[in-house]
Amino acid sequence: RLIQLLRLAKRERPAIIHAWMYHANIAVSAVVWGLRPRPKLIWGIRHTPHHRSTTKPFTWMLIQWGRMFARSADLIAYNAEVSRQRHIALGYPSSKSIVIPNGFDTTIFRPVEDAGARLRGILNVDRETALIGVVARFHPIKGYDVLLDAAQHVSESNSEKAFVLIGRDVDETNGELMRWIARRNLGQQVHLLGERKDIASLLPGLDVLVSPSRSEAFSNAIGEAMACGVPCIVSNVGDSARLVGDTGLVFTSGDARALADVLTEFLEAGDARKRELGVRARLRIQELYSLEEVCDRYSRMYATLLAP
């Protein structure tokens, strides 16, 4: 594959090669050595290393190799400030680093007036039931155990609520997840929707999105929910708190009781306060993280790199 990539680069003679993720970054660093004239090289990193135990062995090895190969890059573009800082601590060059966050298409991710009624119909719950959502694959760093512990605490209140869990392997075939739910007696309150392709139509129906992650770089799920006018409760990892700003609530990662307290605070807030947070969340995405704004930042990066 490296030979194929080299042949492609020789044929196309690019001014810039922009690689994405560790495997591609290493690959293009090897390829550019065989190109004359040498194109400018940008590494794209969209991950925050957490613990070796939660990272695939080969990916962890590539992260370590990156310390040597990274100096071949002209720029390293991270999608989160915390990711930039973590990689610099690992030995990646700080002088070549920039941060460009993820962008969101606010014409696709937007408020939908009857989305709540539609989602409650899918779940077969009453219209007064508060819908608390999580959108994440099933993985230790995503904190589903923390969310379920918090749900157990919150379930002791009298208000009706449903926890809507969406993501890869988040369904009834996941024996471990099903045991977690049963152990906490949450079978009636937790709804598993698995991996879905209609996220843009489901998100606007939520009352609040929770991100209980133990590690993040820059969460798409949070930004998409905000663009849909949904307030978010997030753990203090990655750039999650930076993303929500003053439009959401933040809790200490891994602390289920803290999440339960913050979630209770939100659920007990008046409808006007909840709507206000949702409106401000969408406005924040439109002003700072729209797809147009982020594309413009990439364009300026390319232009700067090619400037004489």
Side-chain angles (χ1 to χ4, degrees), residues 104 131-135 203 206-212 219-235 239-241 243-251 259 262-263 266 273-274 276-282 284-285:
F104 303 95
L131 300 184
I132 303 159
V134 177
V135 180
L203 281 176
L206 297 174
D207 292 293
V208 60
L209 180 105
V210 176
S211 176
S219 170
N220 280 329
I222 296 172
E224 290 168 355
M226 291 173 65
C228 292
V230 176
C232 295
I233 297 173
V234 304
S235 58
D239 276 17
S240 297
L243 176 56
V244 300
D246 62 357
T247 73
L249 301 171
V250 182
F251 70 96
L259 172 54
V262 171
L263 187 53
F266 175 84
R273 172 61 173 165
K274 296 174 185 176
E276 177 197 0
L277 289 175
V279 170
R280 285 168 47 199
R282 177 169 171 81
R284 183 172 176 83
I285 294 297

Side-chain angles (χ1 to χ4, degrees), residues 48 183 233:
T48 301
R183 192 178 304 137
I233 297 173

Side-chain angles (χ1 to χ4, degrees), residues 14-18 32 38-42 74 305-307:
I16 296 174
I17 297 180
H18 188 167
V32 295
R38 180 189 180 280
K40 299 292 186 180
L41 174 58
I42 302 172
D74 295 280
L305 202 58
L306 293 179

Side-chain angles (χ1 to χ4, degrees), residues 22-23 39 74 164 200 218 222 263:
Y22 300 116
H23 299 69
D74 295 280
V164 187
F218 189 102
I222 296 172
L263 187 53

Side-chain angles (χ1 to χ4, degrees), residues 139-179:
H139 189 281
I141 68 171
K142 294 302 181 180
Y144 272 110
D145 56 330
V146 178
L147 180 279
L148 293 174
D149 283 341
Q152 187 176 22
H153 293 309
V154 174
S155 67
E156 297 169 0
S157 67
N158 294 326
S159 60
E160 291 296 323
K161 60 191 71 67
F163 293 86
V164 187
L165 312 187
I166 306 171
R168 187 169 66 247
D169 298 325
V170 184
D171 55 39
E172 294 180 357
T173 66
N174 185 330
E176 183 176 17
L177 178 58
M178 295 300 292
R179 286 190 293 274

